[in-house]
Amino acid sequence: MSQISRSQVEAALAGYTDPYLESDLLSAGCVRDIRIDGGRVEVDIHLDYPSEFLKGGIAQMLQTALENIDGCSAAAVNISWSVAENKSQNSVEAITQVKNIVAVASGKGGVGKSTTAVNLAIALAKDGAKVGLLDADIYGPSQGIMLGVEDGTRPETIDNKWFVPVEAHGLKSMSMAYLVTESTPMVWRGPMVAGALMQILTQTQWGELDYLIIDMPPGTGDIQLTLSQKFPVSGAVIVTTPQDIALADAKKGVEMFRKVNIPVLGMIENMSMHICSQCGHAEHIFGEDGAERLAETYNTTVLGSLPLSKYIREQSDAGTPVVAADDCSEVSMMYRHASRRLAVALARQAAAAQAMPSIEIADE
């Protein structure tokens, strides 16, 4: 029996293209080690995005490819993954133990931003990541309802100084809704709102988090500026709908983040189409490809497009978002694909930052 060559193993591995890396694992630099012992092959692979749900299936496909090599008697594929720390503003102090802060924002209200934020967060957690969710919409906090947290729930405190986040659906969550009653209006001026956000964010014991997802209030006001200036936000996701008026406001959101040096990781297009529940006919009632055109203009990408769905609305109102209710349903998989593309965008950004040489200028 002839010895299996490394080139044969690499050719077999190159036959699989990761749908999120959009590359084979060898070209993406994910293959850490190849060991060949006679007819036995063992491969170590490391992915830079949460892959707990995926790694078993990937390993099985690669193992089958390796076993098809002439002379291979046994093959094993070991897959690990990790999340790198990533902050876009090095001059801003990081939040202890939080690797990535992602702002989910929109230029206007009513585009499904909060629904997107909670489902992206749960999707990341389903893939094995440690995830927190901060409801920064001080004026209209809604994440408590969407997470099914009972009205009147209050976070525990440590030494009368630190909040303990409320856990729900695998997330650590914090919201102004946990600190006031459902009927209490937040009649606050901008500086008070910004101060409340800072207090909630910095005085919550988040613990170790791979991602802290922040559900931003709509618009481009004080909270957005405070967040970008005071905290190391890794990147932003812009949520929009296809119609021109929503896209015009989404442009303002993109421009705001660019001005404060926060990368826009991608866009989510909600209500991209309506599918008739009676006949299955799909119709773009709010327009078509609006987010795609906007993403192309700003050299970013569309992370996902979600339909106008009664099921999404019903599950959010019931306190069990679609990804928590059935993580393998068609609409849940749309959120899960989007969350993995988001994680890959962050990983690439972190890798690019590490590769960037540091330049020091000193007076002679």
Side-chain angles (χ1 to χ4, degrees), residues 113-144:
K113 169 187 56 63
S114 295
T115 301
T116 297
V118 69
N119 279 293
L120 286 178
I122 295 173
L124 288 166
K126 291 280 187 181
D127 277 339
K130 297 175 182 176
V131 186
L133 177 64
L134 173 64
D135 189 353
D137 195 345
I138 304 293
Y139 292 116
S142 58
Q143 291 297 351

Tab-separated table of all heavy atoms in Angstrom, residues 113-144:
chain	number	residue	atom	x	y	z
A	113	LYS	N	-36.038	46.288	13.974
A	113	LYS	CA	-34.686	46.271	14.546
A	113	LYS	C	-34.598	45.424	15.802
A	113	LYS	O	-33.680	44.599	15.947
A	113	LYS	CB	-34.244	47.702	14.836
A	113	LYS	CG	-32.972	47.839	15.662
A	113	LYS	CD	-32.718	49.283	16.038
A	113	LYS	CE	-33.879	49.903	16.764
A	113	LYS	NZ	-34.174	49.247	18.071
A	114	SER	N	-35.518	45.601	16.741
A	114	SER	CA	-35.461	44.860	17.998
A	114	SER	C	-35.677	43.366	17.771
A	114	SER	O	-35.017	42.529	18.400
A	114	SER	CB	-36.516	45.404	18.974
A	114	SER	OG	-36.220	46.732	19.340
A	115	THR	N	-36.580	43.025	16.867
A	115	THR	CA	-36.798	41.624	16.520
A	115	THR	C	-35.542	41.020	15.921
A	115	THR	O	-35.153	39.885	16.235
A	115	THR	CB	-37.966	41.498	15.521
A	115	THR	OG1	-39.148	42.056	16.110
A	115	THR	CG2	-38.227	40.047	15.165
A	116	THR	N	-34.876	41.789	15.077
A	116	THR	CA	-33.624	41.318	14.475
A	116	THR	C	-32.554	41.119	15.533
A	116	THR	O	-31.851	40.106	15.551
A	116	THR	CB	-33.138	42.332	13.420
A	116	THR	OG1	-34.109	42.415	12.374
A	116	THR	CG2	-31.798	41.914	12.843
A	117	ALA	N	-32.416	42.091	16.442
A	117	ALA	CA	-31.375	42.024	17.475
A	117	ALA	C	-31.530	40.782	18.340
A	117	ALA	O	-30.550	40.062	18.591
A	117	ALA	CB	-31.411	43.285	18.342
A	118	VAL	N	-32.743	40.508	18.806
A	118	VAL	CA	-32.927	39.378	19.714
A	118	VAL	C	-32.723	38.051	18.988
A	118	VAL	O	-32.126	37.115	19.538
A	118	VAL	CB	-34.311	39.435	20.406
A	118	VAL	CG1	-35.458	39.176	19.441
A	118	VAL	CG2	-34.380	38.458	21.572
A	119	ASN	N	-33.158	37.956	17.746
A	119	ASN	CA	-32.978	36.696	17.015
A	119	ASN	C	-31.526	36.466	16.610
A	119	ASN	O	-31.053	35.321	16.624
A	119	ASN	CB	-33.898	36.667	15.790
A	119	ASN	CG	-35.323	36.263	16.143
A	119	ASN	OD1	-35.579	35.124	16.532
A	119	ASN	ND2	-36.253	37.202	16.037
A	120	LEU	N	-30.801	37.523	16.263
A	120	LEU	CA	-29.371	37.373	15.992
A	120	LEU	C	-28.631	36.916	17.246
A	120	LEU	O	-27.758	36.047	17.192
A	120	LEU	CB	-28.773	38.694	15.503
A	120	LEU	CG	-29.105	39.138	14.078
A	120	LEU	CD1	-28.473	40.500	13.795
A	120	LEU	CD2	-28.635	38.120	13.048
A	121	ALA	N	-28.988	37.509	18.387
A	121	ALA	CA	-28.334	37.146	19.646
A	121	ALA	C	-28.583	35.679	19.991
A	121	ALA	O	-27.656	34.940	20.363
A	121	ALA	CB	-28.834	38.053	20.772
A	122	ILE	N	-29.833	35.240	19.879
A	122	ILE	CA	-30.155	33.848	20.194
A	122	ILE	C	-29.484	32.910	19.195
A	122	ILE	O	-28.997	31.830	19.559
A	122	ILE	CB	-31.680	33.633	20.207
A	122	ILE	CG1	-32.324	34.434	21.353
A	122	ILE	CG2	-32.026	32.155	20.364
A	122	ILE	CD1	-33.840	34.429	21.345
A	123	ALA	N	-29.422	33.312	17.926
A	123	ALA	CA	-28.776	32.483	16.904
A	123	ALA	C	-27.294	32.274	17.229
A	123	ALA	O	-26.773	31.161	17.098
A	123	ALA	CB	-28.935	33.128	15.531
A	124	LEU	N	-26.602	33.328	17.657
A	124	LEU	CA	-25.195	33.195	18.042
A	124	LEU	C	-25.049	32.262	19.239
A	124	LEU	O	-24.129	31.439	19.302
A	124	LEU	CB	-24.609	34.571	18.369
A	124	LEU	CG	-24.377	35.503	17.174
A	124	LEU	CD1	-24.117	36.924	17.651
A	124	LEU	CD2	-23.222	35.009	16.310
A	125	ALA	N	-25.970	32.385	20.197
A	125	ALA	CA	-25.928	31.510	21.372
A	125	ALA	C	-26.190	30.057	20.995
A	125	ALA	O	-25.583	29.133	21.552
A	125	ALA	CB	-26.943	31.987	22.411
A	126	LYS	N	-27.071	29.830	20.037
A	126	LYS	CA	-27.360	28.465	19.578
A	126	LYS	C	-26.127	27.812	18.954
A	126	LYS	O	-25.992	26.589	18.965
A	126	LYS	CB	-28.504	28.482	18.560
A	126	LYS	CG	-29.874	28.830	19.125
A	126	LYS	CD	-30.526	27.657	19.808
A	126	LYS	CE	-31.958	27.951	20.223
A	126	LYS	NZ	-32.588	26.798	20.910
A	127	ASP	N	-25.238	28.641	18.407
A	127	ASP	CA	-24.011	28.115	17.812
A	127	ASP	C	-22.887	27.994	18.828
A	127	ASP	O	-21.737	27.725	18.441
A	127	ASP	CB	-23.577	28.998	16.641
A	127	ASP	CG	-24.309	28.651	15.354
A	127	ASP	OD1	-24.835	27.523	15.256
A	127	ASP	OD2	-24.359	29.488	14.434
A	128	GLY	N	-23.195	28.222	20.102
A	128	GLY	CA	-22.227	27.971	21.158
A	128	GLY	C	-21.579	29.194	21.773
A	128	GLY	O	-20.791	29.067	22.712
A	129	ALA	N	-21.865	30.387	21.264
A	129	ALA	CA	-21.233	31.593	21.786
A	129	ALA	C	-21.880	32.032	23.098
A	129	ALA	O	-23.038	31.724	23.378
A	129	ALA	CB	-21.326	32.724	20.754
A	130	LYS	N	-21.103	32.772	23.895
A	130	LYS	CA	-21.624	33.408	25.100
A	130	LYS	C	-22.081	34.804	24.706
A	130	LYS	O	-21.280	35.627	24.263
A	130	LYS	CB	-20.542	33.478	26.173
A	130	LYS	CG	-20.053	32.109	26.636
A	130	LYS	CD	-18.899	32.228	27.619
A	130	LYS	CE	-18.394	30.855	28.031
A	130	LYS	NZ	-17.199	30.957	28.935
A	131	VAL	N	-23.382	35.066	24.883
A	131	VAL	CA	-23.972	36.271	24.295
A	131	VAL	C	-24.768	37.058	25.340
A	131	VAL	O	-25.504	36.484	26.143
A	131	VAL	CB	-24.907	35.917	23.110
A	131	VAL	CG1	-25.405	37.180	22.412
A	131	VAL	CG2	-24.183	35.015	22.113
A	132	GLY	N	-24.590	38.374	25.296
A	132	GLY	CA	-25.398	39.279	26.096
A	132	GLY	C	-26.231	40.154	25.182
A	132	GLY	O	-25.867	40.396	24.017
A	133	LEU	N	-27.349	40.633	25.691
A	133	LEU	CA	-28.237	41.514	24.921
A	133	LEU	C	-28.595	42.715	25.779
A	133	LEU	O	-29.186	42.568	26.853
A	133	LEU	CB	-29.499	40.766	24.497
A	133	LEU	CG	-30.559	41.584	23.737
A	133	LEU	CD1	-30.019	42.071	22.402
A	133	LEU	CD2	-31.832	40.754	23.511
A	134	LEU	N	-28.212	43.897	25.309
A	134	LEU	CA	-28.541	45.138	26.016
A	134	LEU	C	-29.600	45.887	25.243
A	134	LEU	O	-29.419	46.205	24.062
A	134	LEU	CB	-27.288	46.011	26.159
A	134	LEU	CG	-27.528	47.411	26.721
A	134	LEU	CD1	-28.048	47.340	28.152
A	134	LEU	CD2	-26.261	48.250	26.659
A	135	ASP	N	-30.703	46.163	25.895
A	135	ASP	CA	-31.788	46.943	25.305
A	135	ASP	C	-31.496	48.416	25.585
A	135	ASP	O	-31.781	48.933	26.655
A	135	ASP	CB	-33.117	46.524	25.931
A	135	ASP	CG	-34.318	47.122	25.215
A	135	ASP	OD1	-34.111	47.962	24.324
A	135	ASP	OD2	-35.454	46.752	25.552
A	136	ALA	N	-30.882	49.094	24.605
A	136	ALA	CA	-30.491	50.490	24.777
A	136	ALA	C	-31.572	51.458	24.315
A	136	ALA	O	-31.351	52.668	24.323
A	136	ALA	CB	-29.197	50.765	24.017
A	137	ASP	N	-32.713	50.921	23.906
A	137	ASP	CA	-33.819	51.789	23.505
A	137	ASP	C	-34.519	52.267	24.775
A	137	ASP	O	-35.540	51.719	25.192
A	137	ASP	CB	-34.777	51.035	22.587
A	137	ASP	CG	-35.735	51.969	21.855
A	137	ASP	OD1	-35.835	53.135	22.270
A	137	ASP	OD2	-36.367	51.529	20.883
A	138	ILE	N	-33.941	53.288	25.399
A	138	ILE	CA	-34.405	53.753	26.703
A	138	ILE	C	-35.860	54.204	26.650
A	138	ILE	O	-36.649	53.953	27.566
A	138	ILE	CB	-33.517	54.909	27.211
A	138	ILE	CG1	-32.045	54.479	27.267
A	138	ILE	CG2	-33.995	55.408	28.562
A	138	ILE	CD1	-31.739	53.427	28.284
A	139	TYR	N	-36.252	54.864	25.553
A	139	TYR	CA	-37.611	55.398	25.464
A	139	TYR	C	-38.661	54.309	25.258
A	139	TYR	O	-39.792	54.434	25.729
A	139	TYR	CB	-37.704	56.408	24.315
A	139	TYR	CG	-36.917	57.673	24.547
A	139	TYR	CD1	-35.846	57.996	23.728
A	139	TYR	CD2	-37.234	58.541	25.587
A	139	TYR	CE1	-35.118	59.163	23.935
A	139	TYR	CE2	-36.517	59.706	25.798
A	139	TYR	CZ	-35.458	60.008	24.975
A	139	TYR	OH	-34.735	61.153	25.180
A	140	GLY	N	-38.294	53.256	24.536
A	140	GLY	CA	-39.272	52.200	24.260
A	140	GLY	C	-38.668	50.823	24.374
A	140	GLY	O	-38.590	50.084	23.379
A	141	PRO	N	-38.220	50.433	25.570
A	141	PRO	CA	-37.588	49.112	25.730
A	141	PRO	C	-38.585	47.985	25.485
A	141	PRO	O	-39.673	47.974	26.066
A	141	PRO	CB	-37.097	49.132	27.184
A	141	PRO	CG	-37.991	50.120	27.878
A	141	PRO	CD	-38.326	51.153	26.857
A	142	SER	N	-38.212	47.039	24.636
A	142	SER	CA	-39.145	45.970	24.276
A	142	SER	C	-38.556	44.576	24.440
A	142	SER	O	-39.268	43.587	24.280
A	142	SER	CB	-39.603	46.149	22.824
A	142	SER	OG	-38.484	46.155	21.956
A	143	GLN	N	-37.258	44.478	24.732
A	143	GLN	CA	-36.631	43.163	24.768
A	143	GLN	C	-37.162	42.296	25.900
A	143	GLN	O	-37.180	41.062	25.785
A	143	GLN	CB	-35.102	43.301	24.874
A	143	GLN	CG	-34.437	43.858	23.629
A	143	GLN	CD	-34.615	42.971	22.410
A	143	GLN	OE1	-35.105	41.847	22.507
A	143	GLN	NE2	-34.247	43.475	21.250
A	144	GLY	N	-37.598	42.893	26.996
A	144	GLY	CA	-38.180	42.095	28.078
A	144	GLY	C	-39.378	41.297	27.599
A	144	GLY	O	-39.534	40.107	27.920
